[in-house]
Amino acid sequence: MADLATNQSRVLRNADEAVREFLAFKLSGEYYAVALTRIREILSLPSLTPVPRAPADVIGVCSVRGLLVTVVDLRRRLHLEEPAPTRQTRILLAATEDDETIGLYVDEVRQVVRLAESEIEVAQSALGGELSDYVVGIGRPRDIRFTSGSSPGGDNILILLDLSTIVNR
Amino acid sequence: MAEGGDKAREEFLSEAQEIIESLSRSLLALDASLKAGTSDPSLINEAFRAVHTLKGLAGLFGAAKMGTLSHRLEDVLDGLRLGRMDLTPETLDILFNAVDVYGRILQVERDSLDDPLMIVDDLVGRLENFGAEDKEEMSPVVEYDLDPGMLAVLTEYEEHRLRTNIEQGLGLYRLRVQFELATIDKALDDIKERAKTHGEIITYLPTGETTSADTIELDLLMASRDDLATLIGSLGADNVVIEAIPRRGRPSRAPSQPLTTAPEARQISSMDAPSPSALDLADSSDVAAEPAGSLRSVAQTVRVDINKLDHLMNIVGELAIVRGSFSRLTERLRGEGQRQLAAELQRLHRNFDRRLAEMQDGILEVRMVPLGQVFDRLARVVRQISREVSKEIRLVITGAETEIDKLIVEELSDPLMHMIRNAIDHGIEGAEGRQAVGKPEAGTIALNAFQKGNHVMIEIEDDGAGIDDEALIAKAVSQGLVEAGEVPDLSRDEILAFVFLPGVSTRDEAGDYSGRGVGMDVVKTNISKLGGVIDVQSETGIGTKMTITLPITLAIVSALIIRVSRQLFAIPLNSVTEAIAFDESSVKIVDGREVMTIRGTTLPLCRLRKLFQFPQGQPDDKRRFVVVTSLGSRRLGLVVDHLLGQQDIVIKSLGKSLASVRGFAGATELGDQRVCLVLDPAALIEEVLVGVDTREDFARSNG
């Protein structure tokens, strides 16, 4: 069955279908992904300096080789639970539209995922509420399995986030 | 015109900018000398030279409009310096206008704007109507027994100067001087300068009779109102022989005079171009007449992108971090009993420290530019606005040589321009108004700059009507910024501070009172961004004075490192006056605000723990400190938990995503890779003393 599915997806992709690359990561047990083009670097957790009176989802600033980076906790932005940092915790350095480099706190980085248009479900209709501002779609990769905490063995989905809405608010 | 690469283009733009600024300076000086009724031919020459160089630059970079404009201006200035026309205020107006038009051309080039630059065509049209009236030419030169070889190579300008001097009855002298090739530029300038007290040097030519390989002999033709004996006494030296050129009995044949308008004749005369740039030489055909020594460029300067300096400064910052590791390593070695190694390392450390400090100072010094750069531009603005509104304004500038960080200078020009415009528009009364109160008809605006410790102060003072309190209060009350009932309790300073609130000084409704107009809140915001404060003083009927206090540099500062709760912060030392032990029992509540008394004066307090919403768990018996910060005349005591010491820091600004967070000037790295936030005392003083909250509420309710 699995082999069949994989072959099928290869066949589909050969048909000149546009394929986009995403970086998949874990936030509070669920899998999310952002367009890879916006990611500059992945860091292990540096020491963060909290900024008093900053917006609640800014967990601090850090220095990356002399460059001052504001680190945003995506879990807070998305109103998720906040597991304590582990050895897997990472900071994604992403470029904003006005060329600021911003850090995104994630619980774990998984891998780069290539998704064909047919594997992406545009989200507007699927979700309601605040989340829908950030979510551009749902990815349903055919040949990679993501086991999600809330639905083990269930839906194999990646929530695709729009970085520009997240960082530019 | 972007041929030749970005870098060359950048160079072109910045060089052109510099030349335009020097042109503007020459014109301002000409304006002043015209008003004083004197004339200095060297000023017209300077202007001519500037325009000429611009023409060359424009040619190189294919800036056609700039080329055409320069060409026309050159004609006009040439006419002026050759005495073919007289300098009138109208001519000057056109020339000043040209400075603005040049500015616009550069802007269009720099930002690749889509502007057909019709203003250039307009101006060129106006210039073409100029300079039609030629003067009758009479040559008394023939009366002198001048070397025909010398006469043959006189440029049109030199010839004009020669004629003018003879007409004014000055005598002609020949100075035969031996110059050292190595120092000829300086020596020549020197002798020209000294000659000025007696007359002027009209031209010079190599005699061709060289005595040694290292010297060159020149004949200098000089016109002087003093006699030979005086000249010998003043200019004579071992290497200088002075002779009077005898007058002939009667004029003979007309001498061969190069009265052409060929390019050579319009060439900058060698006598006033001591530092020919590559451009001048490139199209110069009379190089042969130049003394050999001046072929080498005497310019000792390089132009550097400020970002490169920032980069160097960052490296110095990183080195400072390395230095921190040195001292930790020294401590460790000492702890392990390696005394000798530790001592050696300590010595290296100290040496490194000293050199690093020198390097830091060196880079800072390079970033410094005189405020005169921006003041010159303001002088032009004053002239322009005063004509627009038909008020006579005298601008008095002092301290233009005061130096400040280049970045600050750049950011200053807009706020200063606003303030000057306000002073002229609303501060200075009309001519009748001034006469009625017995003030001189011309209003005075004084622009003063001076250094005070680590700060630069800039004052803009006018002798106008002053700020109308009543109108200001009415406006503030109508905007809901203050309750009418509170007004009697307000001090004059508090009332004057209203001019900086948004909505109060906007122009629409403010036109009916003679206060300040254009967006003083914007001015204040811009000054705060530079880490500065602005204060206002005003006396009704006497005038208004705005004082700006700025840090000398933004790049590196000494800071006091403090701890609040468990977090470290840095406070720039330039705004710290002292730090004292905090005594909880000395705190009084005045008007709902915590204050303490320090040496007989009241100091408002701000508890950083509370401001930053840190846990309040600290027991009261633990020693705490008050760091007294001040900016301008305002003081604020910051209550902190611990003082850790002093350190030089490089302040980096927080990203745009944190731009709305108040109270921080940025962040810096301390030795241990941790980021430490830098407090912004100006913003804290503002927030605590003036109460930004009211203002934000106001902005929200209006937004």
Side-chain angles (χ1 to χ4, degrees):
Chain A
M1 261 315 263
D3 282 345
L4 193 70
T6 317
N7 287 339
Q8 206 175 16
S9 78
R10 282 206 188 103
V11 171
L12 274 174
R13 277 182 198 171
N14 284 342
D16 274 347
E17 201 181 5
V19 173
R20 288 157 66 199
E21 289 183 316
F22 291 85
L23 183 69
F25 51 84
K26 206 172 183 180
L27 292 177
S28 187
E30 301 281 347
Y31 283 101
Y32 291 78
V34 292
L36 188 64
T37 49
R38 301 293 290 276
I39 303 296
R40 285 183 177 161
E41 201 172 331
I42 301 169
L43 310 171
S44 44
L45 187 64
S47 65
L48 294 174
T49 300
V51 180
R53 307 195 288 176
D57 49 15
V58 172
I59 50 176
V61 290
C62 67
S63 164
V64 181
R65 293 182 301 277
L67 180 72
L68 206 58
V69 175
T70 305
V71 181
V72 171
D73 190 339
L74 281 181
R75 302 168 309 181
R76 285 190 203 168
R77 187 65 61 80
L78 300 171
H79 306 293
L80 304 172
E81 276 175 35
E82 296 172 25
T86 65
R87 287 177 57 193
Q88 267 72 49
T89 302
R90 295 287 180 272
I91 303 290
L92 309 183
L93 293 190
T96 70
E97 254 138 41
D98 34 3
D99 218 32
E100 185 187 342
T101 299
I102 200 160
L104 304 173
Y105 182 103
V106 301
D107 288 329
E108 183 186 334
V109 169
R110 185 63 192 269
Q111 70 177 102
V112 173
V113 182
R114 291 159 58 84
L115 290 178
E117 291 297 338
S118 63
E119 293 169 295
I120 298 171
E121 179 189 336
V122 179
Q124 289 124 330
S125 52
L127 295 155
E130 196 180 353
L131 198 61
S132 58
D133 287 347
Y134 305 127
V135 176
V136 280
I138 304 290
R140 296 186 183 277
R142 297 188 185 95
D143 47 1
I144 307 164
R145 291 275 339 149
F146 289 98
T147 34
S148 159
S150 59
S151 51
D155 299 339
N156 187 33
I157 63 162
L158 276 175
I159 301 168
L160 306 181
L161 298 176
D162 177 15
L163 257 191
S164 32
T165 21
I166 290 177
V167 298
N168 292 335
R169 266 186 301 180
Chain B
M1 75 146 79
E3 307 305 323
D6 269 3
K7 183 148 187 178
R9 194 180 135 88
E10 276 293 304
E11 280 281 296
F12 158 66
L13 289 172
S14 65
E15 180 165 3
Q17 180 72 45
E18 273 177 29
I19 298 167
I20 292 166
E21 275 164 22
S22 88
L23 173 64
S24 158
R25 270 196 299 279
S26 311
L27 293 179
L28 286 168
L30 266 179
D31 189 34
S33 77
L34 186 67
K35 278 181 185 151
T38 60
S39 81
D40 182 351
S42 69
L43 289 173
I44 298 180
N45 264 320
E46 278 170 20
F48 177 82
R49 213 154 49 226
V51 169
H52 179 78
T53 316
L54 281 173
K55 189 175 84 168
L57 270 177
L60 269 182
F61 283 85
K65 293 261 180 182
M66 191 160 139
T68 318
L69 174 59
S70 307
H71 188 77
R72 286 285 155 235
L73 282 174
E74 216 181 43
D75 286 350
V76 170
L77 286 164
D78 206 30
L80 288 173
R81 73 190 194 122
L82 298 179
R84 282 203 231 103
M85 27 167 153
D86 292 323
L87 184 65
T88 59
E90 292 71 36
T91 321
L92 263 181
D93 279 347
I94 289 211
L95 294 175
F96 273 113
N97 184 224
V99 171
D100 296 333
V101 172
Y102 271 130
R104 178 65 189 162
I105 296 177
L106 283 194
Q107 196 184 6
V108 168
E109 287 292 341
R110 183 175 296 126
D111 305 337
S112 306
L113 299 178
D114 186 24
D115 179 342
L117 286 170
M118 293 309 291
I119 48 169
V120 178
D121 301 330
D122 285 355
L123 184 59
V124 168
R126 281 161 66 203
L127 287 169
E128 297 206 337
N129 299 329
F130 251 80
E133 355 95 53
D134 274 15
K135 281 191 173 174
E136 187 61 34
E137 304 204 8
M138 253 292 298
S139 181
V141 177
V142 291
E143 290 175 27
Y144 278 87
D145 188 12
L146 283 165
D147 177 3
M150 181 176 264
L151 279 180
V153 295
L154 285 185
T155 65
E156 194 184 351
Y157 172 70
E158 287 165 354
E159 179 155 334
H160 162 70
R161 294 306 309 160
L162 177 59
R163 206 158 52 221
T164 311
N165 279 309
I166 295 173
E167 277 164 7
Q168 288 172 356
L170 275 67
L172 292 183
Y173 299 87
R174 190 186 68 191
L175 283 65
R176 181 156 288 188
V177 190
Q178 272 99 34
F179 289 103
E180 297 280 332
L181 272 180
T183 57
I184 181 164
D185 290 333
K186 202 184 162 301
L188 202 53
D189 282 345
D190 188 46
I191 200 162
K192 274 190 222 156
E193 197 54 45
R194 280 190 287 145
K196 267 192 184 168
T197 52
H198 309 286
E200 74 178 289
I201 303 241
I202 292 162
T203 188
Y204 52 86
L205 264 187
T207 59
E209 294 168 26
T210 315
T211 46
S212 86
D214 299 334
T215 61
I216 183 168
E217 190 177 73
L218 299 187
D219 270 347
L220 277 59
L221 176 62
M222 175 174 176
S224 166
R225 62 187 82 84
D226 297 318
D227 60 15
L228 186 61
T230 318
L231 288 183
I232 291 174
S234 158
L235 301 172
D238 287 348
N239 61 337
V240 183
V241 180
I242 306 178
E243 297 171 11
I245 295 172
R247 216 172 233 262
R248 279 184 186 148
R250 55 181 175 80
S252 64
R253 57 177 179 87
S256 58
Q257 289 169 6
L259 283 176
T260 60
T261 49
E264 293 93 320
R266 203 179 286 136
Q267 198 50 247
I268 301 168
S269 67
S270 52
M271 103 172 220
D272 27 50
S275 58
S277 72
L279 281 169
D280 289 336
L281 289 175
D283 61 352
S284 169
S285 48
D286 57 359
V287 174
E290 299 261 350
S294 67
L295 280 174
R296 264 200 340 261
S297 167
V298 288
Q300 294 284 326
T301 54
V302 287
R303 216 175 274 124
V304 182
D305 186 336
I306 190 94
N307 290 320
K308 289 189 182 162
L309 291 180
D310 278 348
H311 178 62
L312 286 181
M313 205 43 144
N314 274 335
I315 296 177
V316 168
E318 310 278 314
L319 285 177
I321 295 171
V322 173
R323 179 188 58 184
S325 324
F326 266 155
S327 59
R328 274 199 304 280
L329 196 57
T330 314
E331 281 311 305
R332 229 178 76 195
L333 282 175
R334 197 167 285 142
E336 289 169 6
Q338 307 255 26
R339 300 207 147 272
Q340 188 143 12
L341 267 184
E344 226 163 280
L345 193 58
Q346 173 96 44
R347 231 180 5 258
L348 272 180
H349 177 207
R350 241 184 262 131
N351 201 350
F352 182 78
D353 212 19
R354 215 167 32 238
R355 299 277 173 253
L356 193 63
E358 275 171 28
M359 190 158 150
Q360 212 169 69
D361 289 349
I363 297 175
L364 281 186
E365 208 178 295
V366 173
R367 296 172 61 99
M368 294 295 172
V369 293
L371 272 169
Q373 280 192 357
V374 59
F375 285 2
D376 284 343
R377 264 175 267 164
L378 291 174
R380 215 160 65 229
V381 171
V382 168
R383 190 176 187 277
Q384 189 193 334
I385 302 175
S386 65
R387 290 197 152 233
E388 272 169 26
V389 300
S390 315
K391 288 178 187 172
E392 202 184 324
I393 306 291
R394 210 164 58 90
L395 180 69
V396 185
I397 294 177
T398 58
E401 72 288 347
T402 311
E403 292 198 321
I404 195 164
D405 194 297
K406 169 83 178 165
L407 277 182
I408 301 183
V409 164
E410 290 303 309
E411 297 302 319
L412 261 183
S413 75
D414 280 355
L416 286 179
M417 205 170 89
H418 271 311
M419 292 162 73
I420 294 250
R421 181 170 261 285
N422 280 337
I424 301 174
D425 265 3
H426 305 292
I428 306 270
E429 314 92 327
E432 296 97 57
R434 294 183 65 87
Q435 270 169 353
V437 293
K439 288 184 187 175
E441 199 171 306
T444 301
I445 294 180
L447 196 53
N448 306 321
F450 53 94
Q451 191 176 336
K452 194 173 166 191
N454 278 329
H455 287 98
V456 166
M457 320 278 289
I458 301 174
E459 299 173 346
I460 296 132
E461 192 171 3
D462 68 58
D463 66 346
I467 294 175
D468 183 344
D469 289 15
E470 298 303 317
L472 199 54
I473 291 170
K475 181 92 183 184
V477 171
S478 75
Q479 295 273 7
L481 297 168
V482 62
E483 295 289 324
E486 294 174 21
V487 171
D489 298 335
L490 293 176
S491 71
R492 171 133 175 107
D493 281 353
E494 282 170 313
I495 293 169
L496 285 178
F498 286 150
V499 297
F500 297 116
L501 296 188
V504 170
S505 62
T506 41
R507 240 184 133 178
D508 47 3
E509 290 160 73
D512 53 1
Y513 73 92
S514 70
R516 315 264 116 187
V518 193
M520 283 306 293
D521 55 319
V522 178
V523 169
K524 188 180 173 107
T525 311
N526 289 340
I527 299 290
S528 318
K529 276 191 199 143
L530 298 172
V533 286
I534 178 166
D535 284 303
V536 55
Q537 286 167 278
S538 184
E539 292 294 328
T540 311
I542 293 174
T544 303
K545 178 157 119 182
M546 298 268 180
T547 309
I548 301 175
T549 310
L550 288 164
I552 283 187
T553 178
L554 300 173
I556 202 153
V557 295
S558 289
L560 181 67
I561 311 294
I562 55 118
R563 188 166 58 74
V564 180
S565 188
R566 251 175 275 150
Q567 192 167 344
L568 300 188
F569 295 92
I571 308 177
L573 264 185
N574 56 15
S575 47
V576 172
T577 46
E578 62 184 317
I580 53 176
F582 177 58
D583 176 8
E584 191 73 57
S585 63
S586 67
V587 178
K588 305 263 183 312
I589 309 283
V590 174
D591 198 14
R593 188 182 278 168
E594 286 190 311
V595 300
M596 64 183 274
T597 303
I598 158 171
R599 285 191 295 281
T601 57
T602 304
L603 178 72
L605 291 177
C606 168
R607 293 176 193 258
L608 288 182
R609 259 173 187 266
K610 197 167 156 202
L611 187 74
F612 292 159
Q613 293 143 29
F614 286 145
Q616 301 288 317
Q618 190 106 3
D620 276 342
D621 56 358
K622 187 128 190 224
R623 259 167 71 85
R624 275 184 282 170
F625 298 87
V626 178
V627 177
V628 183
T629 58
S630 75
L631 270 177
S633 58
R634 283 167 279 182
R635 298 196 306 159
L636 178 67
L638 303 174
V639 181
V640 307
D641 292 340
H642 198 65
L643 304 178
L644 280 98
Q646 186 184 333
Q647 189 166 338
D648 280 352
I649 59 168
V650 178
I651 302 184
K652 293 172 184 170
S653 58
L654 296 172
K656 286 198 187 112
S657 39
L658 291 176
S660 61
V661 182
R662 280 179 281 139
F664 300 105
T668 189
E669 271 177 85
L670 299 179
D672 55 0
Q673 316 277 302
R674 264 197 88 100
V675 172
C676 165
L677 294 169
V678 182
L679 300 182
D680 179 357
L684 290 175
I685 287 175
E686 175 84 354
E687 181 179 343
V688 176
L689 297 191
V690 186
V692 178
D693 289 330
T694 13
R695 215 198 301 181
E696 276 199 337
D697 290 339
F698 162 73
R700 260 200 297 280
S701 63
N702 278 263

